[in-house]
């Protein structure tokens, strides 16, 4: 069992930055991929980006160049640095983990956090 806890969400203005954290505990995988997803009101949950066990990252086109994913292995924590935020980035952000390679499909992830709200005002 893996527990994931997101934090760092909040209310910001357009153009601001925010850093989300995803802390993992429990029976963490030695080779894993962690994905960030988001779900806006009335919309389906979508892939934002992720990082795999080797440190390789991938991003959705909508956030490429603005969002950066990094990790601190000593803390079992993955970060989502969000810059130049836009109102359309408003959503609940979730992290999820799976074994091995990074994927952009929700149903390929084994464990999920509870989510953290990000609201960007115009």
């Amino acid at each position: 069992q893996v527990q994931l806890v997101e934090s760092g969400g909040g209310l910001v203005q357009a153009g601001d930055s925010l850093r989300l954290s995803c802390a993992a505990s429990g029976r963490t995988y030695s080779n894993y991929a962690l994905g960030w997803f988001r779900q806006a009101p009335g919309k389906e949950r979508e892939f934002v980006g992720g990082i795999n066990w080797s440190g390789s990252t991938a991003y959705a086109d909508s956030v490429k160049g603005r969002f950066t994913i990094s990790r601190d292995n000593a803390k079992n924590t993955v970060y989502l640095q969000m810059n130049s935020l836009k109102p359309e980035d408003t959503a609940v952000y979730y992290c999820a983990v799976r074994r091995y390679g990074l994927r952009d499909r929700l149903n390929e992830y084994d464990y999920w956090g509870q989510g953290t709200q990000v609201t960007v005002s115009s």
Side-chain angles (χ1 to χ4, degrees):
Q1 191 81 0
V2 178
Q3 292 80 42
L4 300 173
V5 178
E6 302 96 336
S7 61
L11 172 63
V12 296
Q13 293 185 334
D16 285 350
S17 298
L18 207 56
R19 189 179 78 162
L20 306 184
S21 300
C22 175
S25 61
R27 189 175 179 180
T28 54
Y29 298 139
S30 57
N31 296 333
Y32 70 94
L34 189 139
W36 283 99
F37 294 80
R38 67 186 181 187
Q39 187 166 19
K43 295 188 177 181
E44 295 185 351
R45 195 171 298 188
E46 63 177 2
F47 177 75
V48 173
I51 186 168
N52 70 10
W53 64 272
S54 68
S56 297
T57 56
Y59 301 92
D61 288 343
S62 59
V63 306
K64 205 171 290 184
R66 300 188 297 123
F67 291 10
T68 303
I69 296 172
S70 62
R71 68 183 186 193
D72 183 335
N73 289 336
K75 296 182 179 179
N76 275 341
T77 299
V78 174
Y79 303 100
L80 177 63
Q81 177 68 43
M82 305 185 294
N83 298 330
S84 302
L85 282 162
K86 304 175 181 180
E88 51 263 44
D89 294 319
T90 294
V92 177
Y93 283 72
Y94 300 88
C95 60
V97 69
R98 69 182 304 277
R99 296 195 74 176
Y100 305 120
L102 187 60
R103 298 289 187 271
D104 61 2
R105 296 185 178 182
L106 282 71
N107 60 3
E108 299 201 59
Y109 284 79
D110 303 313
Y111 299 99
W112 290 81
Q114 82 290 348
T116 185
Q117 176 71 48
V118 172
T119 304
V120 185
S121 63
S122 57

